[in-house]
Amino acid sequence: MINIIEFKKSNCKNCYKCIRSCPIKAISFNNNQAKIIDDNCILCGNCLKVCTQHAKSVIDETEKVKKFIEKKYSVYASIAPSFPSAFKSHNAKALFSAIKKLGFSYIQETAIGAYAVSMEYEKLIKKCEMNNIISTACPVVVSLVEKYYPVAIQFLAPVVSPMIAHAKMLKHTYGENIKVVFIGPCLSKKKEYRDGENDYLIDAVITFDELKKWFEDEGINLNKFQDENIKYDEPLIERYYPIVGGILKTLDDQSNYKLLSVDGLENCMETLDSIVKGNINGYFIEMNSCRGGCINGPCNTSKSFIEAYDDILNYASNKNTISDLKDIKVNVNLSKFFCNREVKNSIPDDESISYILKKIGKFKKEDELNCGACGYSSCREKAIAVYNNKADLNMCLPYMKEKAESISNIIINSSPNAILALNSELYIQEANNSVYRIFNIENIKLAGKNVFEFFDCPDFVIVMDTGKDILNKKVYYEKFDVTVEQSVIYVKDHDAIIIIMKDITKEEKNQEQLNKFRRETVEIAQRVIEKQMRVAQEIASLLGETTAETKVALTKLKDTIVTKMGESE
């Protein structure tokens, strides 16, 4: 099975916006990643419209079409009647000429297929055999009924869509070997043509957005294209198909049914609910999944709704290029068979739901906020999705916020260090418990105060101005008689400052006492040394005098002895 919508994992940012926009919750979210549940998806395209992260893309078959052209196939374009709403040029001939420039052999409006479909609708209305008739031009509506309202399959008009009808007519007229490429605003057409019942009728589908990209790649400017040789052979009234009520315009007002137009999936689902309950009878209902009709399709993104609507009206009212309706011949089978493809989710019992809810802190009814942030309309609906492995417990934003705040508060307030958070203007945003304890600040709320009212340190300004951290610097706050080992850290993403202060007052005072003791010891030692030196000097002085006297006495004695010895000789 080919995935029509593809995800870019790196772009999916846990916003749950696509889940909120999905009317049938065909998107699962596991391991921080959203994923389309293909069997559940009806390809309405809402998730594409709302995704601001560009995490989703549509499978592009432009290259496939280029290969058809390169291989010299006869490539026929069936272009949806909403095309005037997609392109800036008001000249359809310019658009048709530009498409031919790309290598297409022939271009024709799908409105011809819509004419054939309307004829089939008229037959059903005249037979008056169905209690209600739901139009089947929109493949999203068909998928919605087959998968989520199978009881209402009996009310689907057993008629193919204009795209399929036109493809059958083209191949019947020009041969089975031609390649038919549908060009339109609809995402679901990429899936419809792969339906086994439609094999080989449509060979590729490209969107208006993809066609515009192709023009850009080839350097084609529609405003510079004119080709008066292009002929129109499509009917008039079927050009209204892409706007609300467009199908009804093609039907006989004097029908046996009440005519009703319903657009937007929410309205379609509400109407189907009423049909299933038996509250609606005798209606022919034109259903379109896109609010405002096909001109608001997910792959038609160039204009505002009003501009698109006006362009359709202007083009559809142009009577100068219309062929006679009687010239159009329909010689193909346009019947359609629908299948029950019901999507079944397991519905847990109340005990299982309660167990899941308790895991995300919802112990009583009041805890169920039903905020819808996770994408589900209620906490119980989200719990059922978790049970079916379509959602994560952690998708509950209030619970995760509370949990994150609880954990962060535990961590921050359990820290023995003082922690301050300052904004770009150096006002205190947060202060943990240790700030109040270390600086003995009582009955004062620091949040919202200028940091310099309490902590006079120029490092805060320096770090904010330079964006460079100052780490592990010893700072003495005289006002509090507190010494800290301080780190001032700049948080670029938030243009804020985090201050972490380790209280080293006691260590500093102990160190000061130790230093004082050492100084006193040194002073005592110095005094002892000095005293000893004086004693040594005094002793040395005394020894010097005694030695000199002894020397004199001994010298005299020696001289006397020597003299006496001389005399005796």
Side-chain angles (χ1 to χ4, degrees):
M1 181 182 293
I2 297 176
N3 296 326
I4 304 300
I5 301 177
E6 299 173 330
F7 271 79
K8 298 176 183 177
K9 292 184 178 180
S10 59
N11 288 27
C12 192
K13 302 296 184 183
N14 301 329
C15 69
Y16 315 133
K17 201 170 185 180
C18 58
I19 299 176
R20 286 194 294 276
S21 74
C22 182
I24 41 85
K25 306 307 177 204
I27 301 175
S28 66
F29 191 87
N30 299 103
N31 300 319
N32 297 320
Q33 180 65 54
K35 183 180 179 182
I36 300 290
I37 307 173
D38 292 311
D39 289 340
N40 296 17
C41 182
I42 58 175
L43 291 171
C44 65
N46 281 355
C47 59
L48 286 172
K49 288 183 177 181
V50 302
C51 184
T52 56
Q53 302 300 325
H54 307 292
K56 304 168 191 69
S57 60
V58 179
I59 183 172
D60 189 343
E61 295 185 305
T62 305
E63 291 301 319
K64 182 180 180 181
V65 179
K66 288 180 180 179
K67 288 180 181 178
F68 291 156
I69 294 171
E70 289 172 4
K71 292 179 180 180
K72 306 300 182 182
Y73 282 107
S74 293
V75 184
Y76 283 55
S78 172
I79 186 164
S82 53
F83 74 85
S85 71
F87 296 90
K88 294 180 180 179
S89 172
H90 292 289
N91 189 341
K93 292 183 177 182
L95 175 62
F96 281 37
S97 297
I99 294 174
K100 288 200 75 173
K101 179 72 173 179
L102 294 175
F104 284 82
S105 307
Y106 184 65
I107 305 100
Q108 197 174 65
E109 288 191 39
T110 318
I112 293 177
Y115 170 75
V117 167
S118 287
M119 288 177 62
E120 295 299 310
Y121 288 161
E122 287 278 13
K123 292 176 185 177
L124 291 172
I125 290 172
K126 288 177 181 178
K127 287 182 180 179
C128 202
E129 294 176 350
M130 299 174 68
N131 192 16
N132 295 294
I133 303 175
I134 300 173
S135 68
T136 50
C138 176
V140 176
V141 169
V142 172
S143 291
L144 178 66
V145 173
E146 289 184 326
K147 293 183 177 183
Y148 296 95
Y149 297 90
V151 175
I153 288 176
Q154 60 182 306
F155 303 117
L156 289 175
V159 183
V160 298
S161 70
M163 176 184 79
I164 300 300
H166 192 215
K168 283 189 172 188
M169 295 165 70
L170 286 172
K171 292 210 170 183
H172 177 75
T173 303
Y174 300 105
E176 296 293 329
N177 293 327
I178 67 168
K179 298 293 183 182
V180 177
V181 177
F182 176 78
I183 306 172
C186 185
L187 166 68
S188 61
K189 294 294 185 183
K190 290 178 179 278
K191 183 71 174 290
E192 181 189 7
Y193 93 85
R194 291 182 170 88
D195 185 340
E197 196 177 347
N198 301 324
D199 281 352
Y200 310 114
L201 292 173
I202 300 287
D203 297 280
V205 170
I206 61 175
T207 67
F208 287 149
D209 288 343
E210 289 163 358
L211 180 61
K212 292 171 192 173
K213 178 66 167 54
W214 193 355
F215 283 153
E216 289 176 8
D217 292 343
E218 298 295 331
I220 293 176
N221 184 344
L222 290 181
N223 295 325
K224 297 180 180 179
F225 263 85
Q226 295 292 334
D227 189 344
E228 297 300 327
N229 295 320
I230 296 292
K231 292 178 64 179
Y232 292 115
D233 56 2
E234 72 281 356
L236 170 62
I237 200 70
E238 278 66 31
R239 288 176 172 179
Y240 288 104
Y241 251 62
I243 62 175
V244 174
I247 294 177
L248 301 185
K249 283 181 179 290
T250 69
L251 304 178
D252 183 1
D253 290 339
Q254 305 301 317
S255 72
N256 298 318
Y257 290 85
K258 292 170 281 187
L259 304 182
L260 173 66
S261 181
V262 178
D263 63 309
L265 269 173
E266 293 79 7
N267 293 331
C268 289
M269 292 169 72
E270 182 180 323
T271 304
L272 287 168
D273 284 330
S274 296
I275 289 175
V276 169
K277 292 174 183 177
N279 296 334
I280 293 180
N281 295 288
Y283 275 89
F284 180 97
I285 306 172
E286 171 193 305
M287 279 198 187
N288 195 311
S289 67
C290 292
R291 189 177 295 277
C294 300
I295 58 174
N296 203 25
C299 301
N300 184 15
T301 58
S302 61
K303 295 181 181 177
S304 71
F305 174 76
I306 296 297
E307 287 179 293
Y309 187 83
D310 277 347
D311 284 339
I312 292 294
L313 293 182
N314 291 336
Y315 182 65
S317 62
N318 183 355
K319 299 180 180 179
N320 297 324
T321 57
I322 303 304
S323 300
D324 190 341
L325 300 182
K326 296 177 183 178
D327 293 339
I328 299 174
K329 306 295 182 182
V330 180
N331 299 310
V332 292
N333 181 7
L334 300 181
S335 64
K336 172 69 177 175
F337 176 76
F338 301 102
C339 299
N340 183 337
R341 310 177 196 272
E342 186 175 6
V343 173
K344 294 182 179 180
N345 287 319
S346 299
I347 304 298
D349 55 29
D350 288 342
E351 184 178 347
S352 298
I353 293 175
S354 179
Y355 175 75
I356 293 171
L357 290 172
K358 285 178 181 178
K359 282 188 172 182
I360 51 176
K362 303 183 188 305
F363 297 95
K364 51 187 183 295
K365 196 68 177 176
E366 303 87 81
D367 296 330
E368 298 176 27
L369 301 179
N370 301 324
C371 66
C374 63
Y376 294 91
S377 59
S378 69
C379 297
R380 291 180 68 83
E381 185 182 345
K382 186 270 183 81
I384 294 172
V386 171
Y387 182 86
N388 284 285
N389 201 33
K390 290 172 60 178
D392 277 346
L393 284 170
N394 294 338
M395 287 170 63
C396 180
L397 297 186
Y399 168 69
M400 291 304 294
K401 179 177 181 290
E402 184 178 331
K403 183 179 178 181
E405 289 176 348
S406 175
I407 292 174
S408 63
N409 286 337
I410 289 172
I411 293 172
I412 293 173
N413 285 321
S414 296
S415 173
N417 298 329
I419 301 176
L420 291 165
L422 311 182
N423 64 14
S424 59
E425 296 177 350
L426 302 180
Y427 279 81
I428 299 171
Q429 302 300 294
E430 296 287 343
N432 72 344
N433 293 338
S434 292
V435 174
Y436 295 90
R437 175 181 55 81
I438 291 172
F439 294 97
N440 195 26
I441 301 173
E442 296 180 358
N443 302 322
I444 297 177
K445 186 178 180 181
L446 295 178
K449 307 286 186 181
N450 189 293
V451 69
F452 291 109
E453 291 183 29
F454 303 92
F455 307 102
D456 187 13
C457 180
D459 290 352
F460 308 147
V461 175
I462 294 171
V463 171
M464 181 57 73
D465 289 344
T466 65
K468 295 181 179 179
D469 303 341
I470 297 177
L471 305 176
N472 304 322
K473 180 179 178 180
K474 186 164 65 177
V475 178
Y476 175 66
Y477 289 104
E478 184 178 2
K479 180 178 179 179
F480 303 102
D481 190 24
V482 171
T483 303
V484 297
E485 185 178 82
Q486 178 174 282
S487 292
V488 185
I489 302 166
Y490 178 64
V491 184
K492 182 179 180 181
D493 292 343
H494 299 278
D495 194 23
I497 285 177
I498 300 297
I499 305 167
I500 302 174
M501 303 173 177
K502 179 182 178 182
D503 185 9
I504 58 171
T505 304
K506 187 175 181 180
E507 290 85 343
E508 283 295 300
K509 288 183 178 180
N510 289 339
Q511 186 66 42
E512 186 178 342
Q513 290 177 356
L514 180 59
N515 290 340
K516 181 179 178 182
F517 173 75
R518 287 172 176 169
R519 287 195 299 271
E520 290 175 350
T521 301
V522 169
E523 290 174 2
I524 292 170
Q526 185 64 35
R527 288 198 298 270
V528 170
I529 290 171
E530 291 174 355
K531 186 174 181 179
Q532 289 297 321
M533 288 299 296
R534 287 196 299 272
V535 170
Q537 289 174 356
E538 290 174 359
I539 292 172
S541 176
L542 291 172
L543 286 174
E545 292 177 3
T546 304
T547 302
E549 292 173 354
T550 302
K551 180 180 179 181
V552 171
L554 291 175
T555 301
K556 289 181 179 179
L557 178 60
K558 182 188 75 170
D559 291 341
T560 302
I561 294 172
V562 171
T563 302
K564 293 292 184 181
M565 288 177 63
E567 290 178 354
S568 61
E569 293 179 354

